[in-house]
Amino acid sequence: MVHISDGILSTPILVFGWAISIVVMAATIWWSGRRRDLAEEIPKLSVMTAAFFIASLIHIPVGPTSVHFILSGLLGVVLGVLAYPAIFIGVVLQAFLFQHGGVTTIGVNTLIMGISALIAGVIFRAPAGRLRLCEVSTGIVAALAGGVGVLLAALFAALTLIATGRQFFEIAGALVAAHIPIVIIEAVVTGSIITFMLKVKPELIGLGRSQCET
Amino acid sequence: MKRRLIPLLLVLLLLVLSSAGGVSGHRLHIHHQVGAIDIKAYYGGGTPCRDANVTIYDDQGNLYLVGVTDESGEFSFPPKIGLDEYTVIVESTHMVGHRGETTINMSSSSGGASGSSGEEMPLYMRIVAGLGYLLALGGAAAAYSGWKMKKKYEGG
């Protein structure tokens, strides 16, 4: 439940969210376009966005509330910097089709989940490029990245909600506690998917087979 | 004398009975009570949104009532005579940042009518719609890649 609804945040924060999101999106698309052919990346982006879009419908009741899958970590690991535009498209579809989150908060919500996805991508790619990781250890790093992606999304949402006049630790405590089951499940899911992709088609996650041949 | 008295008594009895009118011994009572407007707040997936703050405004945007949902996410409030439209806002306290809003119009809904916010299209339709957009996006990109490759092939 890191999708903030309409009517909660003040206008300056909403504008800030939109502005930063547009800048980051342009930067990630430019960065990605420099290194790869964007048109070839878009089908993969669409599939991952579809997963992100649908995942929000899977709810788990936790205490007095319920949480749903986010998959920000998985998107960051699989798509790298393109996770940001993917999350933006997903958030737009969720807002208009599921009334999930809000329309004015699309910018802020993309920022919350997008930045955590980018950090998850960095966590995965930093050692994966350098350490010549094999399947099992890559899976573990991916699981870590997947879990951190969700945890950060909950923390960033709490940080944004300070604007409602509440104490950060109060909100962060509640949000993080509620998301612990999701963090664990998504870590396992991300780890499993990456291990599977590594066996079947490592090119999909930007890793060559050679990295495990030592 | 006696012969005259009997018909007279009969006529009197008839008069008394016919002028009695309604029989008050079987009176039918109508007690009326205008029911409350019941709302139920829940998160996607059906978990009740309990202990949430409820704020109700009238059609002029003036505050009408405030309250808190119960354990099953329900809250009831009495309608005000002459007031047809209410805007109900529910803000979650257990999951800060979640808020729902709906407008209840008494004149356009008949007795026992119910409604909810954001339920115009069935869920599966919305899922298909979302996936359709993404499929179109992926397909367009694939088509563009194919066209570019063909052009490259033809050019080279």
Side-chain angles (χ1 to χ4, degrees):
Chain A
M1 289 266 175
V2 289
H3 293 65
I4 298 170
S5 313
D6 282 327
I8 296 224
L9 300 171
S10 61
T11 314
I13 293 173
L14 295 175
V15 172
F16 175 81
W18 275 104
I20 300 290
S21 269
I22 289 168
V23 170
V24 175
M25 204 148 56
T28 51
I29 292 172
W30 171 78
W31 170 262
S32 187
R34 245 180 21 153
R35 302 170 68 206
R36 290 171 283 184
D37 184 3
L38 266 184
E40 282 175 15
E41 294 293 316
I42 288 177
K44 187 170 87 175
L45 182 143
S46 297
V47 172
M48 293 313 293
T49 309
F52 173 82
F53 166 67
I54 296 293
S56 69
L57 291 178
I58 304 168
H59 291 87
I60 300 173
V62 179
T65 178
S66 89
V67 288
H68 62 77
F69 282 83
I70 302 166
L71 295 188
S72 50
L74 178 67
L75 260 71
V77 169
V78 177
L79 296 175
V81 291
L82 280 181
Y84 205 91
I87 286 175
F88 175 76
I89 299 168
V91 169
V92 168
L93 290 175
Q94 285 167 345
F96 284 103
L97 293 168
F98 298 156
Q99 281 79 45
H100 198 108
V103 176
T104 57
T105 51
I106 288 172
V108 171
N109 286 339
T110 306
L111 192 65
I112 290 170
M113 287 175 273
I115 296 292
S116 43
L118 293 182
I119 294 173
V122 169
I123 291 174
F124 177 68
R125 266 153 231 272
R130 236 175 274 145
L131 298 174
R132 291 175 171 269
L133 293 173
C134 278
E135 280 169 18
V136 176
S137 44
T138 308
I140 292 169
V141 175
L144 184 76
V148 168
V150 179
L151 200 65
L152 284 177
L155 277 175
F156 288 152
L159 206 63
T160 313
L161 288 164
I162 298 177
T164 58
R166 287 167 183 256
Q167 289 287 313
F168 170 70
F169 291 106
E170 183 195 338
I171 311 171
L175 270 176
V176 171
H179 280 88
I180 285 173
I182 294 287
V183 169
I184 296 167
I185 297 170
E186 285 201 19
V188 173
V189 166
T190 310
S192 318
I193 289 178
I194 298 304
T195 310
F196 177 74
M197 277 186 172
L198 212 59
K199 275 185 191 153
V200 182
K201 204 162 174 60
E203 299 83 18
L204 269 180
I205 41 172
L207 294 177
R209 276 174 213 277
S210 59
Q211 284 181 328
C212 280
E213 288 168 4
T214 42
Chain B
M1 190 68 186
K2 268 189 179 177
R3 268 190 202 167
R4 276 189 184 177
L5 197 64
I6 291 166
L8 197 67
L9 279 174
L10 279 171
V11 168
L12 265 176
L13 186 69
L14 200 71
L15 275 173
V16 167
L17 284 174
S18 62
S19 65
V23 182
S24 61
H26 286 127
R27 188 165 173 186
L28 193 146
H29 297 272
I30 298 176
H31 167 74
H32 77 275
Q33 183 184 351
V34 178
I37 299 173
D38 302 321
I39 63 155
K40 180 175 167 67
Y42 54 94
Y43 299 107
T47 309
C49 181
R50 67 190 214 199
D51 309 326
N53 292 323
V54 183
T55 321
I56 298 156
Y57 295 94
D58 64 13
D59 52 357
Q60 303 294 314
N62 303 315
L63 184 68
Y64 173 52
L65 255 172
V66 286
V68 175
T69 56
D70 64 10
E71 277 197 359
S72 42
E74 288 170 7
F75 179 73
S76 302
F77 65 95
K80 192 170 153 186
I81 304 300
L83 191 57
D84 282 342
E85 199 174 280
Y86 302 87
T87 302
V88 180
I89 297 167
V90 178
E91 281 189 51
S92 167
T93 49
H94 290 296
M95 196 53 92
V96 185
H98 290 79
R99 181 179 183 275
E101 186 176 330
T102 189
T103 305
I104 301 168
N105 194 320
M106 301 287 283
S107 56
S108 66
S109 56
S110 53
S114 65
S116 54
S117 55
E119 292 291 338
E120 303 86 11
M121 220 198 308
L123 182 63
Y124 74 92
M125 282 289 284
R126 286 180 273 160
I127 294 172
V128 171
L131 293 182
Y133 285 120
L134 294 169
L135 194 67
L137 179 71
Y144 174 73
S145 294
W147 171 78
K148 222 166 82 172
M149 208 176 262
K150 195 181 162 197
K151 209 176 147 192
K152 197 177 160 189
Y153 177 74
E154 281 174 351

